[in-house]
Coordinates of all heavy atoms in Angstrom, one line a residue:
M1 N -54.5 -66.6 28.7 CA -54.4 -65.2 29.1 C -55.5 -64.9 30.2 O -56.6 -65.4 30.2 CB -54.7 -64.3 27.9 CG -54.5 -62.8 28.2 SD -54.8 -61.8 26.7 CE -53.2 -61.8 26.0
Q2 N -55.1 -64.1 31.2 CA -56.0 -63.8 32.3 C -57.1 -62.9 31.8 O -56.9 -62.1 31.0 CB -55.2 -63.1 33.4 CG -54.1 -64.0 34.0 CD -53.3 -63.2 35.0 OE1 -53.2 -62.0 35.0 NE2 -52.6 -63.9 35.9
I3 N -58.2 -63.1 32.5 CA -59.4 -62.4 32.1 C -59.3 -60.8 32.2 O -59.8 -60.1 31.3 CB -60.7 -62.9 32.8 CG1 -62.0 -62.3 32.2 CG2 -60.6 -62.4 34.3 CD1 -62.3 -63.0 30.9
E4 N -58.5 -60.4 33.2 CA -58.4 -58.9 33.3 C -57.5 -58.3 32.1 O -57.8 -57.2 31.7 CB -57.8 -58.5 34.7 CG -56.5 -59.1 35.0 CD -56.6 -60.4 35.8 OE1 -57.7 -61.1 35.8 OE2 -55.6 -60.8 36.4
L5 N -56.6 -59.1 31.6 CA -55.8 -58.7 30.5 C -56.7 -58.7 29.2 O -56.6 -57.8 28.4 CB -54.6 -59.6 30.3 CG -53.5 -59.6 31.3 CD1 -52.5 -60.7 31.1 CD2 -52.8 -58.2 31.3
I6 N -57.5 -59.7 29.1 CA -58.4 -59.8 27.9 C -59.4 -58.6 28.0 O -59.7 -58.0 27.0 CB -59.1 -61.1 27.9 CG1 -58.1 -62.2 27.6 CG2 -60.2 -61.1 26.9 CD1 -58.6 -63.6 27.7
F7 N -60.0 -58.3 29.1 CA -60.9 -57.2 29.3 C -60.2 -55.9 28.8 O -60.8 -55.2 28.1 CB -61.4 -57.1 30.7 CG -62.4 -56.0 30.9 CD1 -63.8 -56.2 30.6 CD2 -62.0 -54.8 31.3 CE1 -64.7 -55.1 30.7 CE2 -62.9 -53.7 31.4 CZ -64.2 -53.9 31.1
G8 N -59.0 -55.7 29.4 CA -58.3 -54.5 29.0 C -58.0 -54.4 27.5 O -58.2 -53.3 26.9
K9 N -57.6 -55.5 26.9 CA -57.4 -55.5 25.5 C -58.6 -55.1 24.7 O -58.5 -54.4 23.7 CB -56.9 -56.9 25.1 CG -56.6 -57.1 23.7 CD -56.1 -58.5 23.4 CE -55.9 -58.8 21.9 NZ -55.5 -60.2 21.7
V10 N -59.7 -55.7 25.1 CA -61.0 -55.5 24.4 C -61.4 -54.0 24.5 O -61.8 -53.3 23.5 CB -62.1 -56.4 24.8 CG1 -63.5 -56.0 24.3 CG2 -61.8 -57.9 24.4
V11 N -61.4 -53.5 25.7 CA -61.8 -52.1 26.0 C -60.9 -51.2 25.1 O -61.4 -50.2 24.5 CB -61.7 -51.7 27.5 CG1 -61.8 -50.2 27.7 CG2 -62.8 -52.4 28.2
K12 N -59.6 -51.4 25.2 CA -58.7 -50.5 24.4 C -58.9 -50.6 22.9 O -58.9 -49.6 22.2 CB -57.2 -50.9 24.7 CG -56.2 -50.0 24.1 CD -54.8 -50.4 24.5 CE -53.8 -49.4 23.9 NZ -52.4 -49.7 24.3
S13 N -59.2 -51.8 22.4 CA -59.5 -52.0 21.0 C -60.7 -51.2 20.6 O -60.7 -50.5 19.6 CB -59.6 -53.5 20.7 OG -60.0 -53.7 19.4
I14 N -61.8 -51.4 21.4 CA -63.0 -50.6 21.1 C -62.8 -49.1 21.1 O -63.3 -48.4 20.3 CB -64.1 -51.1 22.0 CG1 -64.5 -52.5 21.8 CG2 -65.4 -50.2 21.8 CD1 -65.3 -53.1 23.0
R15 N -62.1 -48.7 22.2 CA -61.9 -47.3 22.3 C -61.1 -46.7 21.2 O -61.5 -45.6 20.6 CB -61.1 -47.0 23.6 CG -60.8 -45.6 23.9 CD -60.0 -45.4 25.2 NE -58.7 -46.0 25.3 CZ -57.6 -45.6 24.6 NH1 -57.7 -44.5 23.8 NH2 -56.5 -46.3 24.7
I16 N -60.1 -47.4 20.7 CA -59.3 -46.9 19.6 C -60.1 -46.9 18.3 O -60.1 -46.0 17.5 CB -58.0 -47.8 19.5 CG1 -57.1 -47.4 20.6 CG2 -57.3 -47.5 18.1 CD1 -55.9 -48.3 20.8
K17 N -60.9 -48.0 18.1 CA -61.7 -48.0 16.9 C -62.8 -46.9 16.9 O -63.1 -46.4 15.8 CB -62.5 -49.4 16.8 CG -61.6 -50.5 16.4 CD -62.4 -51.8 16.4 CE -61.5 -53.0 16.1 NZ -62.1 -54.3 16.3
K18 N -63.2 -46.5 18.0 CA -64.2 -45.4 18.1 C -63.5 -44.0 18.2 O -64.2 -43.0 18.3 CB -65.1 -45.6 19.3 CG -66.0 -46.8 19.2 CD -67.0 -46.9 20.4 CE -67.9 -48.1 20.1 NZ -69.3 -47.6 19.9
N19 N -62.1 -44.1 18.1 CA -61.4 -42.8 18.1 C -61.6 -42.0 19.4 O -61.9 -40.8 19.3 CB -61.6 -42.0 16.9 CG -60.5 -41.0 16.6 OD1 -59.3 -41.2 17.0 ND2 -60.8 -39.9 16.0
I20 N -61.6 -42.7 20.5 CA -61.9 -42.0 21.8 C -60.6 -42.1 22.6 O -60.0 -43.2 22.7 CB -63.0 -42.8 22.6 CG1 -64.3 -42.8 21.8 CG2 -63.2 -42.1 24.0 CD1 -65.4 -43.7 22.4
T21 N -60.2 -41.0 23.3 CA -59.0 -41.0 24.1 C -59.4 -41.6 25.5 O -60.6 -41.7 25.8 CB -58.5 -39.6 24.4 OG1 -59.5 -38.9 25.1 CG2 -58.1 -38.9 23.1
Q22 N -58.4 -42.0 26.3 CA -58.7 -42.5 27.6 C -59.4 -41.4 28.4 O -60.3 -41.7 29.2 CB -57.4 -42.9 28.3 CG -56.8 -44.2 27.9 CD -55.6 -44.6 28.6 OE1 -55.0 -43.8 29.3 NE2 -55.2 -45.9 28.5
E23 N -58.9 -40.2 28.2 CA -59.5 -39.1 29.0 C -61.0 -38.9 28.6 O -61.8 -38.7 29.5 CB -58.8 -37.8 28.6 CG -59.2 -36.6 29.4 CD -58.8 -36.7 30.9 OE1 -57.6 -37.1 31.2 OE2 -59.6 -36.3 31.8
Q24 N -61.4 -39.0 27.3 CA -62.8 -38.9 26.9 C -63.6 -40.1 27.5 O -64.7 -39.9 27.9 CB -62.9 -38.8 25.4 CG -64.3 -38.5 25.0 CD -64.8 -37.2 25.5 OE1 -64.1 -36.2 25.3 NE2 -66.0 -37.2 26.1
L25 N -63.0 -41.3 27.4 CA -63.7 -42.4 27.9 C -64.0 -42.3 29.4 O -65.0 -42.6 29.9 CB -63.0 -43.7 27.6 CG -63.6 -45.0 28.2 CD1 -65.1 -45.2 27.7 CD2 -62.8 -46.2 27.9
A26 N -63.0 -41.8 30.1 CA -63.1 -41.6 31.6 C -64.2 -40.6 31.9 O -65.0 -40.8 32.7 CB -61.8 -41.1 32.1
T27 N -64.2 -39.5 31.1 CA -65.3 -38.4 31.3 C -66.6 -39.0 31.0 O -67.6 -38.8 31.8 CB -65.0 -37.2 30.4 OG1 -63.7 -36.7 30.7 CG2 -66.1 -36.2 30.5
D28 N -66.8 -39.7 29.9 CA -68.1 -40.3 29.5 C -68.6 -41.4 30.4 O -69.8 -41.6 30.5 CB -68.0 -40.8 28.0 CG -67.8 -39.7 27.0 OD1 -68.0 -38.5 27.4 OD2 -67.5 -40.0 25.9
S29 N -67.6 -42.1 31.0 CA -68.0 -43.2 31.9 C -68.0 -42.8 33.4 O -68.2 -43.6 34.3 CB -67.1 -44.4 31.7 OG -65.8 -44.1 31.9
T30 N -67.7 -41.5 33.7 CA -67.5 -41.0 35.0 C -66.6 -41.8 35.9 O -66.8 -42.0 37.1 CB -68.9 -40.9 35.7 OG1 -69.5 -42.2 35.9 CG2 -69.9 -40.0 34.9
L31 N -65.5 -42.2 35.3 CA -64.4 -42.9 36.0 C -63.1 -42.1 35.8 O -63.0 -41.2 34.9 CB -64.2 -44.3 35.4 CG -65.4 -45.2 35.6 CD1 -65.2 -46.5 34.8 CD2 -65.6 -45.6 37.1
A32 N -62.1 -42.4 36.6 CA -60.8 -41.7 36.5 C -60.0 -42.2 35.3 O -60.1 -43.4 35.0 CB -60.0 -41.9 37.8
R33 N -59.3 -41.3 34.7 CA -58.5 -41.7 33.5 C -57.4 -42.7 33.9 O -57.2 -43.6 33.2 CB -57.8 -40.5 32.9 CG -57.2 -40.9 31.5 CD -55.9 -40.1 31.2 NE -54.9 -40.1 32.2 CZ -54.0 -41.1 32.4 NH1 -54.0 -42.2 31.7 NH2 -53.1 -40.9 33.3
T34 N -56.9 -42.6 35.1 CA -55.9 -43.5 35.6 C -56.5 -44.9 35.7 O -55.8 -45.9 35.5 CB -55.2 -43.1 36.9 OG1 -56.2 -42.8 37.9 CG2 -54.4 -41.8 36.7
Y35 N -57.7 -45.0 36.2 CA -58.4 -46.2 36.3 C -58.6 -46.9 34.9 O -58.4 -48.1 34.8 CB -59.8 -46.0 37.0 CG -60.5 -47.3 37.3 CD1 -60.0 -48.3 38.1 CD2 -61.7 -47.6 36.7 CE1 -60.7 -49.5 38.3 CE2 -62.4 -48.7 36.9 CZ -61.9 -49.7 37.7 OH -62.6 -50.9 37.9
I36 N -59.0 -46.1 33.9 CA -59.2 -46.6 32.6 C -57.8 -47.2 32.1 O -57.8 -48.3 31.6 CB -59.7 -45.5 31.6 CG1 -61.1 -45.0 32.0 CG2 -59.7 -46.0 30.2 CD1 -62.2 -46.0 31.9
S37 N -56.8 -46.4 32.3 CA -55.4 -46.9 31.9 C -55.1 -48.2 32.6 O -54.5 -49.1 32.0 CB -54.4 -45.8 32.3 OG -53.1 -46.3 32.0
E38 N -55.4 -48.3 33.9 CA -55.0 -49.5 34.7 C -55.9 -50.7 34.2 O -55.4 -51.8 34.2 CB -55.2 -49.3 36.2 CG -54.1 -48.3 36.7 CD -54.3 -47.8 38.0 OE1 -55.5 -47.8 38.5 OE2 -53.3 -47.3 38.7
L39 N -57.1 -50.4 33.8 CA -58.0 -51.5 33.3 C -57.4 -52.0 32.0 O -57.3 -53.2 31.7 CB -59.4 -51.0 33.1 CG -60.3 -50.9 34.3 CD1 -61.6 -50.2 33.9 CD2 -60.6 -52.2 35.0
E40 N -57.1 -51.0 31.1 CA -56.6 -51.4 29.8 C -55.3 -52.2 29.9 O -55.0 -53.0 29.0 CB -56.4 -50.2 28.9 CG -57.7 -49.6 28.4 CD -57.5 -48.5 27.4 OE1 -56.4 -48.1 27.1 OE2 -58.6 -47.9 27.0
S41 N -54.5 -51.9 30.9 CA -53.2 -52.6 31.0 C -53.4 -54.0 31.8 O -52.4 -54.7 31.9 CB -52.2 -51.8 31.8 OG -52.6 -51.6 33.1
G42 N -54.6 -54.3 32.2 CA -54.8 -55.5 32.9 C -54.5 -55.6 34.3 O -54.5 -56.6 35.0
K43 N -54.2 -54.4 34.9 CA -53.9 -54.3 36.3 C -55.1 -54.6 37.2 O -54.9 -55.2 38.3 CB -53.3 -52.9 36.6 CG -52.8 -52.8 38.0 CD -52.1 -51.5 38.3 CE -51.5 -51.4 39.7 NZ -50.9 -50.1 39.9
Y44 N -56.2 -54.2 36.8 CA -57.5 -54.4 37.5 C -58.5 -55.0 36.6 O -58.4 -54.9 35.4 CB -58.0 -53.1 38.1 CG -57.1 -52.4 39.0 CD1 -56.6 -51.1 38.8 CD2 -56.8 -53.0 40.2 CE1 -55.8 -50.5 39.7 CE2 -55.9 -52.4 41.1 CZ -55.5 -51.1 40.9 OH -54.6 -50.5 41.7
Q45 N -59.6 -55.6 37.2 CA -60.8 -55.9 36.5 C -61.9 -55.1 37.1 O -61.9 -54.8 38.3 CB -61.0 -57.4 36.5 CG -61.0 -58.1 37.8 CD -61.2 -59.6 37.7 OE1 -62.2 -60.0 37.1 NE2 -60.3 -60.3 38.2
P46 N -62.9 -54.7 36.3 CA -63.9 -53.8 36.8 C -64.9 -54.5 37.7 O -65.2 -55.7 37.6 CB -64.6 -53.3 35.5 CG -64.5 -54.5 34.6 CD -63.1 -55.1 34.9
S47 N -65.5 -53.7 38.5 CA -66.7 -54.1 39.3 C -67.9 -54.1 38.3 O -67.8 -53.6 37.2 CB -67.0 -53.1 40.4 OG -67.4 -51.9 39.9
L48 N -69.0 -54.6 38.7 CA -70.2 -54.6 37.8 C -70.6 -53.2 37.5 O -70.9 -52.9 36.4 CB -71.3 -55.4 38.5 CG -72.5 -55.7 37.7 CD1 -72.2 -56.4 36.4 CD2 -73.5 -56.5 38.5
T49 N -70.5 -52.3 38.5 CA -70.9 -50.9 38.3 C -70.0 -50.3 37.3 O -70.4 -49.6 36.4 CB -70.9 -50.2 39.6 OG1 -71.8 -50.8 40.5 CG2 -71.2 -48.7 39.4
S50 N -68.7 -50.5 37.4 CA -67.7 -50.0 36.5 C -67.9 -50.5 35.1 O -67.7 -49.8 34.1 CB -66.3 -50.2 37.0 OG -66.0 -49.5 38.1
L51 N -68.2 -51.8 35.0 CA -68.5 -52.4 33.7 C -69.6 -51.7 33.0 O -69.5 -51.3 31.8 CB -68.8 -53.9 33.8 CG -69.2 -54.6 32.6 CD1 -68.0 -54.9 31.7 CD2 -70.0 -55.8 32.9
F52 N -70.7 -51.4 33.7 CA -71.8 -50.6 33.1 C -71.4 -49.2 32.7 O -71.8 -48.7 31.7 CB -73.0 -50.6 34.1 CG -73.9 -51.8 34.0 CD1 -73.5 -53.0 34.4 CD2 -75.2 -51.6 33.5 CE1 -74.3 -54.1 34.3 CE2 -76.1 -52.7 33.4 CZ -75.6 -54.0 33.8
D53 N -70.6 -48.6 33.6 CA -70.1 -47.2 33.3 C -69.2 -47.2 32.0 O -69.3 -46.3 31.2 CB -69.3 -46.6 34.5 CG -70.2 -46.3 35.7 OD1 -71.4 -46.2 35.5 OD2 -69.7 -46.3 36.8
I54 N -68.3 -48.2 31.9 CA -67.4 -48.2 30.8 C -68.3 -48.5 29.5 O -68.0 -47.8 28.5 CB -66.4 -49.3 31.0 CG1 -65.4 -48.9 32.1 CG2 -65.6 -49.6 29.7 CD1 -64.6 -50.1 32.6
A55 N -69.2 -49.4 29.6 CA -70.1 -49.6 28.4 C -70.8 -48.4 28.0 O -70.9 -48.0 26.8 CB -71.0 -50.8 28.7
K56 N -71.3 -47.6 29.0 CA -72.0 -46.4 28.7 C -71.0 -45.4 28.0 O -71.4 -44.8 27.0 CB -72.5 -45.7 30.0 CG -73.2 -44.4 29.8 CD -73.6 -43.8 31.1 CE -72.4 -43.2 31.8 NZ -72.6 -42.5 33.0
G57 N -69.8 -45.3 28.5 CA -68.8 -44.5 27.9 C -68.4 -44.9 26.5 O -68.1 -44.0 25.6
L58 N -68.5 -46.2 26.2 CA -68.2 -46.7 24.8 C -69.5 -46.7 24.0 O -69.4 -47.2 22.8 CB -67.6 -48.1 24.9 CG -66.3 -48.2 25.6 CD1 -65.9 -49.6 25.8 CD2 -65.2 -47.5 24.7
K59 N -70.6 -46.2 24.5 CA -71.9 -46.2 23.8 C -72.3 -47.6 23.3 O -72.6 -47.8 22.1 CB -71.8 -45.2 22.7 CG -71.6 -43.8 23.2 CD -71.5 -42.8 22.1 CE -71.3 -41.3 22.6 NZ -70.4 -41.1 23.6
M60 N -72.3 -48.5 24.2 CA -72.7 -49.9 23.9 C -73.4 -50.5 25.1 O -73.2 -50.0 26.2 CB -71.5 -50.7 23.4 CG -70.4 -50.9 24.4 SD -68.9 -51.6 23.8 CE -69.4 -53.0 22.8
K61 N -74.1 -51.6 24.9 CA -74.7 -52.3 26.0 C -73.6 -53.0 26.8 O -72.7 -53.6 26.2 CB -75.8 -53.2 25.5 CG -76.9 -52.6 24.9 CD -78.0 -53.6 24.5 CE -79.2 -52.9 23.9 NZ -80.2 -53.9 23.6
P62 N -73.8 -53.1 28.1 CA -72.8 -53.9 28.9 C -72.7 -55.4 28.4 O -71.7 -56.0 28.3 CB -73.4 -53.9 30.3 CG -74.2 -52.6 30.4 CD -74.7 -52.5 29.0
S63 N -73.9 -55.9 28.0 CA -73.9 -57.3 27.5 C -73.1 -57.4 26.2 O -72.4 -58.5 26.0 CB -75.3 -57.8 27.2 OG -76.0 -57.0 26.3
E64 N -73.0 -56.4 25.4 CA -72.2 -56.4 24.2 C -70.7 -56.4 24.5 O -69.9 -57.2 23.9 CB -72.5 -55.2 23.3 CG -73.8 -55.2 22.7 CD -74.1 -53.9 21.9 OE1 -74.3 -52.8 22.6 OE2 -74.0 -53.9 20.7
L65 N -70.4 -55.6 25.5 CA -69.0 -55.6 26.0 C -68.6 -56.9 26.5 O -67.5 -57.4 26.2 CB -68.8 -54.4 27.0 CG -67.4 -54.2 27.6 CD1 -66.4 -54.1 26.5 CD2 -67.4 -53.1 28.5
V66 N -69.4 -57.5 27.4 CA -69.1 -58.8 28.0 C -69.0 -59.9 26.9 O -68.1 -60.7 26.9 CB -70.1 -59.2 29.0 CG1 -69.9 -60.6 29.5 CG2 -70.0 -58.3 30.2
R67 N -69.8 -59.8 25.9 CA -69.8 -60.8 24.8 C -68.5 -60.7 24.0 O -67.9 -61.7 23.7 CB -71.0 -60.6 23.9 CG -71.0 -61.5 22.7 CD -71.3 -62.9 23.1 NE -71.3 -63.8 22.0 CZ -70.8 -65.0 21.9 NH1 -70.2 -65.5 23.0 NH2 -70.8 -65.7 20.8
L68 N -68.0 -59.5 23.8 CA -66.7 -59.3 23.1 C -65.6 -59.8 23.9 O -64.6 -60.4 23.4 CB -66.5 -57.8 22.7 CG -67.5 -57.3 21.6 CD1 -67.3 -55.8 21.5 CD2 -67.2 -58.0 20.3
V69 N -65.6 -59.6 25.2 CA -64.6 -60.2 26.1 C -64.7 -61.7 26.1 O -63.6 -62.4 26.0 CB -64.8 -59.6 27.5 CG1 -63.8 -60.3 28.5 CG2 -64.5 -58.1 27.6
E70 N -65.9 -62.2 26.1 CA -66.1 -63.7 26.1 C -65.5 -64.3 24.8 O -64.8 -65.3 24.8 CB -67.5 -64.0 26.2 CG -67.8 -65.5 26.2 CD -69.3 -65.8 26.2 OE1 -70.2 -64.9 26.0 OE2 -69.7 -66.9 26.5
L71 N -65.8 -63.6 23.6 CA -65.2 -64.1 22.4 C -63.7 -64.1 22.3 O -63.1 -65.0 21.9 CB -65.8 -63.3 21.2 CG -67.2 -63.5 20.9 CD1 -67.7 -62.4 19.9 CD2 -67.5 -64.9 20.3
E72 N -63.1 -63.0 22.8 CA -61.7 -62.9 22.9 C -61.1 -64.0 23.8 O -60.1 -64.6 23.6 CB -61.2 -61.5 23.3 CG -59.7 -61.3 23.3 CD -59.1 -61.4 21.9 OE1 -59.8 -61.2 20.9 OE2 -57.9 -61.8 21.9
F73 N -61.8 -64.2 25.0 CA -61.3 -65.2 25.9 C -61.3 -66.6 25.2 O -60.4 -67.3 25.4 CB -62.3 -65.2 27.1 CG -61.9 -66.2 28.2 CD1 -60.9 -65.9 29.1 CD2 -62.5 -67.4 28.2 CE1 -60.5 -66.9 30.1 CE2 -62.2 -68.4 29.2 CZ -61.2 -68.1 30.1
D74 N -62.4 -66.9 24.5 CA -62.5 -68.2 23.8 C -61.4 -68.3 22.8 O -60.8 -69.4 22.6 CB -63.9 -68.3 23.1 CG -65.0 -68.6 24.2 OD1 -64.7 -68.9 25.3 OD2 -66.2 -68.4 23.8
N75 N -61.1 -67.2 22.0 CA -60.0 -67.2 21.0 C -58.7 -67.5 21.7 O -57.8 -68.2 21.1 CB -60.0 -65.9 20.2 CG -61.2 -65.8 19.3 OD1 -61.8 -66.8 18.9 ND2 -61.5 -64.6 18.9
Q76 N -58.4 -66.9 22.8 CA -57.2 -67.0 23.5 C -57.0 -68.4 24.1 O -55.8 -68.8 24.3 CB -57.0 -66.0 24.6 CG -57.0 -64.5 24.1 CD -55.7 -64.2 23.5 OE1 -54.6 -64.7 23.8 NE2 -55.7 -63.3 22.5
N77 N -58.0 -69.0 24.4 CA -57.9 -70.3 25.1 C -58.3 -71.5 24.3 O -58.6 -72.6 24.8 CB -58.8 -70.3 26.4 CG -58.2 -69.3 27.4 OD1 -57.1 -69.5 27.9 ND2 -59.0 -68.2 27.7
H78 N -58.2 -71.4 23.0 CA -58.5 -72.5 22.1 C -57.3 -72.8 21.2 O -56.5 -72.1 20.9 CB -59.7 -72.4 21.3 CG -60.9 -72.7 22.1 ND1 -61.9 -71.7 22.4 CD2 -61.4 -73.8 22.7 CE1 -62.9 -72.2 23.1 NE2 -62.6 -73.5 23.3

């Protein structure tokens, strides 16, 4: 699976577990809701700045978010 698809899957999963809408995540991360949607669908992968913004919106450290993406990547590729 491509990394942008995995990133989107992880962000969506965390967002849903935290009961946050795309609109709320967009507001909390100062990004556009359409961009959040496109990230979650795997259309784009985030810049480093956006990664930090998304992590802030999810109330987690960027390193935690990257680690979850890494774990999912490893699970998909083994």
Side-chain angles (χ1 to χ4, degrees):
M1 185 179 275
Q2 296 175 339
I3 194 71
E4 56 271 17
L5 291 172
I6 293 170
F7 180 84
K9 178 181 175 182
V10 169
V11 168
K12 184 175 183 176
S13 174
I14 295 167
R15 180 180 61 75
I16 290 170
K17 284 178 187 172
K18 291 182 178 251
N19 199 30
I20 301 169
T21 65
Q22 285 183 344
E23 187 70 40
Q24 188 61 50
L25 178 55
T27 298
D28 293 347
S29 60
T30 66
L31 297 168
R33 191 213 51 83
T34 54
Y35 183 65
I36 298 295
S37 175
E38 290 167 339
L39 284 172
E40 287 187 0
S41 68
K43 187 173 181 183
Y44 298 118
Q45 52 184 303
S47 67
L48 187 57
T49 301
S50 294
L51 175 78
F52 273 69
D53 291 339
I54 292 162
K56 178 185 75 174
L58 293 170
K59 296 176 178 48
M60 61 193 313
K61 292 182 179 184
S63 59
E64 292 175 287
L65 180 54
V66 170
R67 179 69 181 138
L68 292 172
V69 172
E70 181 182 16
L71 288 171
E72 184 63 26
F73 181 82
D74 288 346
N75 287 338
Q76 294 287 328
N77 291 297
H78 282 115

